[in-house]
Amino acid sequence: MSDPTETNGTAGSAEAAGPAAPGGGPGRHVRVVLVDDHRMFRTGVQAEIGQTEQTGVEVVGEAADVDQAVTVITATRPEVVLLDVHLPGGGGVEVLRRCAPLMGDTEQPVRFLALSVSDAAEDVIGVIRGGARGYVTKTITGTDLVESIFRVQEGDAVFSPRLAGFVLDAFASTDAPPVDEDLDRLTQREREVLRLIARGYAYKEIAKQLFISVKTVESHVSAVLRKLQLSNRHELTRWATARRLV
């Protein structure tokens, strides 16, 4: 795992991202922290957008899990955080919860832009409710990502085109979104374990991802099966897939 305060990127590229043309504009500058548990992706994003003279973006820190993210964000006080949704230690929503005082700072607010491979409804709505100013997927180009970062810095809301209508519909509705009572029975950690199980991860892999013991993973799986009244991981996978949690 890389040093969470590491800021020097090497050659690489973000997923499906094109070369970043000068996008910062004259006089524009923004300090950014990258939060993603895949070091190769962080390196790619750094290479795409971190050429400060051309883009105006200065990457001042990186983090790979929730605890690292909170530490780095608190220490560096960036203007924008690029935040992955699925992180060891509680996910992007937990980072938002713990950084709420920084988001609420009227003089120097820290703003969050979710950058994730996921376009699942639960993920999008969860981070927006948590306080993120936008949500873009990892298919975004480097140029568009730079522009999105500056828009978030200025207080705008930014979404990938395919998500914008969905988000507006979800929040414009006068009716509260339907409550999944079964899902609400699970703790945040149990939901994390559920997703990883449904994605086919072995217990040892889950333990490594979440920085917990295999025995703890087994306990969480047992609790999930009991609460959802399921018999095995195959039923659990079908249950999660039907709710687009995978």
Side-chain angles (χ1 to χ4, degrees):
M1 182 177 298
S2 63
D3 184 339
T5 59
E6 176 186 350
T7 58
N8 295 320
T10 56
S13 62
E15 293 178 25
R28 290 208 294 181
H29 180 266
V30 60
R31 299 170 68 254
V32 172
V33 164
L34 305 178
V35 180
D36 193 290
D37 61 338
H38 294 97
R39 185 183 180 197
M40 289 291 288
F41 181 75
R42 296 198 312 273
T43 300
V45 172
Q46 166 80 312
E48 287 286 339
I49 71 173
Q51 302 170 41
T52 309
E53 291 185 2
Q54 281 100 11
T55 65
V57 176
E58 179 187 1
V59 178
V60 297
E62 299 182 14
D65 60 40
V66 169
D67 288 341
Q68 287 181 359
V70 174
T71 298
V72 173
I73 293 165
T74 301
T76 61
R77 295 298 292 266
E79 289 146 312
V80 177
V81 177
L82 288 181
L83 179 68
D84 193 14
V85 174
H86 298 134
L87 294 168
V93 171
E94 179 64 12
V95 175
L96 291 164
R97 185 187 70 78
R98 290 168 61 178
C99 290
L102 300 180
M103 287 190 283
D105 188 327
T106 56
E107 294 186 1
Q108 190 183 352
V110 176
R111 296 188 169 105
F112 288 78
L113 173 62
L115 175 63
S116 177
V117 70
S118 171
D119 60 0
E122 182 191 45
D123 290 337
V124 179
I125 298 303
V127 295
I128 298 305
R129 282 181 173 157
R133 296 294 304 173
Y135 195 115
V136 295
T137 60
K138 289 181 177 179
T139 56
I140 193 170
T141 65
T143 301
D144 287 345
L145 181 57
V146 168
E147 187 58 32
S148 296
I149 290 169
F150 277 105
R151 286 180 60 191
V152 167
Q153 179 197 27
E154 293 162 3
D156 289 344
V158 180
F159 299 94
S160 290
R162 65 176 296 180
L163 303 179
F166 153 68
V167 173
L168 288 173
D169 289 345
F171 283 91
S173 173
T174 56
D175 298 325
V179 175
D180 189 326
E181 294 183 358
D182 290 333
L183 189 60
D184 282 349
R185 294 191 185 102
L186 305 183
T187 66
Q188 180 63 36
R189 177 65 86 190
E190 288 168 352
R191 294 187 193 193
E192 291 177 345
V193 172
L194 165 65
R195 286 193 185 95
L196 293 174
I197 284 288
R199 291 172 184 167
Y201 283 70
Y203 285 4
K204 287 184 179 179
E205 294 172 318
I206 296 172
K208 184 177 180 180
Q209 282 272 335
L210 301 181
F211 300 99
I212 57 179
S213 69
V214 173
K215 186 174 182 180
T216 301
V217 174
E218 293 172 347
S219 297
H220 285 313
V221 172
S222 296
V224 170
L225 292 174
R226 183 181 69 256
K227 290 179 180 181
L228 300 181
Q229 298 183 6
L230 300 174
S231 300
N232 53 57
R233 66 181 298 163
H234 300 294
E235 290 183 2
L236 187 152
T237 299
R238 287 196 297 270
W239 187 93
T241 301
R243 286 162 173 78
R244 297 185 66 193
L245 301 179
V246 180

